[in-house]
Amino acid sequence: MAKDKTVYVCSNCGQESAKWIGRCPQCGEWNTFKELHVAPDTVNGSITSTLMRKSSGSARAMKLNDISSKDEPRIDMGDEELNRVLGSGLVRGSITLLGGEPGIGKSTLSLQTVLHLNKKVLYVSGEESAHQLKMRAQRINPEASDNCLVLCETSLEGIFASIKDTIPDIVVIDSIQTICTSDVDSSPGSISQVRECAARLLRFAKTSGTPVILIGHINKEGTLAGPKILEHIVDTVIQFEGDQHYMYRILRSIKNRFGSTSELGIYEMRQNGLRPVNNPSELLLTEDHDGLSGVAISSAIEGARPFLVETQALVSTAAYGTPQRSATGFDQRRLNMLLAVLEKRVGFKLIQKDVFINIAGGLRVTDLAMDLSIIAAVLSSNVDTPIEQGWCMAGEVGLSGEVRPVSRIEQRVAEAQKLGFTNIIIPRQNMQVFKGKDVGINLIPVRKVEEALRHLFG
């Protein structure tokens, strides 16, 4: 009879070794190797390769032209923001990972979504009791449907037994770090347990066509759901972001095999759950900033959605020898480049000034069209002159001080016009799109940064 083989697995990165090692050669962490007993059928290969062999079955090669190219059937989640991030809904047979900081609202979002579905949902909780889930469900939706089944279980074998009895349409696991299997000799949340449980759930989702939603935590290093191997296993990774001191949350797609990864959804946290925000521009803009310097409005696009963002800047004399450069919600390196352009091409000396940039509302924006508003806000704070009400802008700034064209300018202008803005500064090369059109807003084309600043400050 074959004996079990003992291997040592790094609990941080999953590196395997035949003997115990003090320092992991893969990730460099100390004292992370844990002893793991492997069954005889896994002796001739790693754990991952064994899982692949088990799942292969009777698969055969197919010609690419013989494979159907029709769209995957999707499940409407009843939430416009969640559907947008997932790519028009949840794909059958997919496995989705939802991650975020503790207390950000992952469980609340999952529970309020499944309570509104006309599908049989099995909600597996390894952290909360059934009584706690009942109280939360009553707070979110007192008139919820009876299609949601609750299971408080941490054993993977027990979960599969309940799935066999109930045959649900959707399975939610809250959270993957609390689930363990008896086939792996390690504690729940370890690299080997997470990998084994996720691989079995993936095999179940693909063979049965039942979508699985996994909820994962953020570890102390800021990594989503611990090991990176979990992100490679799943089909979609969405992350819940936001500051707990703010009332709104941002749902962002990091990986999506069935849709775009540039989409985001915005929610407002309330006592009775999360409310989808259909018009984020009104939420992100301050009600009144008339007479306040260092504030500029930019028309940005994230994914397929345009919205107006308030950029705040503070420029002050450096109290120490080295001036500070700080950016919240904006790329720090790009801020340094824009400050260099402002000093070299426009002639404003900021070498002895501290510069602080903040995107209002806790939003993190990567759109290059924010460049013009960053420069305008910095200059407004530097000369202590406010920008007039009704002005917004969109444009990418190059190293030579030119204002480069941006994509989807029509949507940006339409969003500004809808919210009552009267003037918008755009790159001159984008003006050809509006020839012969009445957009209901005054378009101000510029070719260089100096022209834009001249229109704003005279």
Side-chain angles (χ1 to χ4, degrees):
M1 182 176 179
K3 296 182 179 181
D4 291 355
K5 180 182 177 182
T6 300
V7 297
Y8 294 87
V9 180
C10 175
S11 59
N12 185 59
C13 67
Q15 177 72 17
E16 298 177 17
S17 174
K19 60 180 181 179
W20 186 86
I21 305 175
R23 184 174 186 269
C24 177
Q26 181 71 23
C27 63
E29 294 293 329
W30 288 89
N31 299 324
T32 55
F33 275 89
K34 307 296 182 183
E35 184 178 357
L36 182 66
H37 296 283
V38 184
D41 59 347
T42 66
V43 171
N44 295 326
S46 65
I47 302 174
T48 306
S49 61
T50 304
L51 293 175
M52 294 175 63
R53 290 199 304 271
K54 286 182 179 179
S55 62
S56 59
S58 59
R60 60 184 180 86
M62 298 176 62
K63 293 182 179 180
L64 186 61
N65 293 333
D66 295 338
I67 301 176
S68 174
S69 60
K70 64 180 181 180
D71 294 336
E72 294 285 343
R74 295 178 182 267
I75 300 175
D76 185 7
M77 303 301 290
D79 187 332
E80 184 179 350
E81 300 295 305
L82 183 58
N83 283 336
R84 177 187 292 109
V85 176
L86 291 174
S88 302
L90 189 65
V91 177
R92 300 184 185 275
S94 65
I95 181 166
T96 303
L97 174 63
L98 172 62
E101 297 282 348
I104 204 69
K106 304 182 297 297
S107 301
T108 301
L109 177 63
S110 303
L111 187 58
Q112 79 173 26
T113 301
V114 300
L115 288 177
H116 292 86
L117 291 178
N118 293 323
K119 303 280 186 182
K120 182 186 289 187
V121 180
L122 178 62
Y123 191 97
V124 181
S125 177
E127 299 177 342
E128 298 177 286
S129 65
H131 181 64
Q132 289 175 307
L133 291 173
K134 175 63 176 179
M135 290 191 300
R136 177 181 294 173
Q138 287 182 336
R139 187 179 74 250
I140 294 174
N141 186 7
E143 300 178 358
S145 63
D146 296 331
N147 294 328
C148 182
L149 306 176
V150 175
L151 174 66
C152 297
E153 179 64 79
T154 58
S155 171
L156 186 63
E157 288 76 15
I159 294 173
F160 280 135
S162 180
I163 290 175
K164 185 178 180 181
D165 293 337
T166 58
I167 313 178
D169 298 320
I170 300 176
V171 177
V172 180
I173 307 293
D174 184 12
S175 67
I176 186 62
Q177 277 86 3
T178 62
I179 307 302
C180 62
T181 175
S182 58
D183 294 341
V184 177
D185 187 16
S186 61
S187 59
S190 62
I191 176 68
S192 52
Q193 283 284 4
V194 170
R195 180 171 57 181
E196 177 75 13
C197 293
R200 292 191 183 183
L201 289 169
L202 173 67
R203 190 159 57 246
F204 158 74
K206 299 303 180 184
T207 55
S208 66
T210 304
V212 178
I213 299 176
L214 307 179
I215 298 178
H217 297 302
I218 296 288
N219 60 14
K220 60 182 180 181
E221 288 82 15
T223 307
L224 178 61
K228 275 290 181 183
I229 190 173
L230 186 57
E231 296 186 40
H232 293 295
I233 290 176
V234 301
D235 297 313
T236 305
V237 179
I238 53 180
Q239 187 165 346
F240 222 23
E241 302 174 353
D243 194 333
Q244 295 185 8
H245 301 288
Y246 285 96
M247 62 179 177
Y248 22 86
R249 306 284 189 264
I250 299 171
L251 188 64
R252 191 183 301 271
S253 175
I254 299 176
K255 169 189 175 183
N256 194 348
R257 290 174 177 165
F258 310 106
S260 173
T261 57
S262 59
E263 295 290 353
L264 61 84
I266 300 180
Y267 292 87
E268 181 184 3
M269 177 63 78
R270 292 186 172 184
Q271 182 67 25
N272 58 349
L274 293 160
R275 181 185 72 87
V277 178
N278 297 322
N279 189 2
S281 297
E282 296 180 353
L283 188 65
L284 296 173
L285 293 180
T286 305
E287 291 295 332
D288 184 17
H289 59 267
D290 189 19
L292 302 178
S293 63
V295 178
I297 309 299
S298 177
S299 183
I301 285 184
E302 287 288 333
R305 162 185 286 183
F307 53 88
L308 299 187
V309 182
E310 180 179 318
T311 304
Q312 300 174 348
L314 175 63
V315 180
S316 61
T317 304
Y320 305 99
T322 304
Q324 301 183 59
R325 302 287 189 263
S326 176
T328 304
F330 191 75
D331 187 9
Q332 175 79 44
R333 292 173 296 180
R334 192 156 190 89
L335 171 62
N336 295 333
M337 184 204 77
L338 295 176
L339 294 179
V341 171
L342 188 60
E343 184 168 339
K344 178 72 174 179
R345 304 298 180 185
V346 187
F348 286 90
K349 302 299 181 183
L350 300 172
I351 192 171
Q352 296 298 328
K353 301 290 184 69
D354 292 336
V355 180
F356 303 93
I357 293 293
N358 177 51
I359 305 299
L363 194 66
R364 179 168 55 88
V365 183
T366 58
D367 190 4
L368 297 180
M370 294 284 298
D371 292 354
L372 203 54
S373 65
I374 293 291
I375 287 182
V378 168
L379 187 57
S380 172
S381 178
N382 185 46
V383 299
D384 199 18
T385 301
I387 298 175
E388 294 182 5
Q389 288 273 34
W391 284 73
C392 65
M393 59 208 73
E396 177 187 353
V397 176
L399 291 179
S400 60
E402 82 278 12
V403 179
R404 301 174 59 85
V406 295
S407 62
R408 295 158 64 183
I409 188 64
E410 292 179 291
Q411 291 180 264
R412 301 175 191 267
V413 172
E415 182 73 11
Q417 190 270 336
K418 184 175 68 174
L419 292 180
F421 284 81
T422 56
N423 301 280
I424 181 170
I425 300 176
I426 63 173
R428 179 170 295 179
Q429 297 184 40
N430 285 126
M431 274 299 294
Q432 57 185 358
V433 181
F434 301 100
K435 285 185 177 180
K437 295 181 181 180
D438 183 15
V439 294
I441 187 173
N442 185 25
L443 303 177
I444 303 175
V446 296
R447 192 171 64 91
K448 294 184 178 181
V449 175
E450 302 95 294
E451 299 179 32
L453 299 180
R454 195 177 303 115
H455 284 289
L456 290 172
F457 304 104

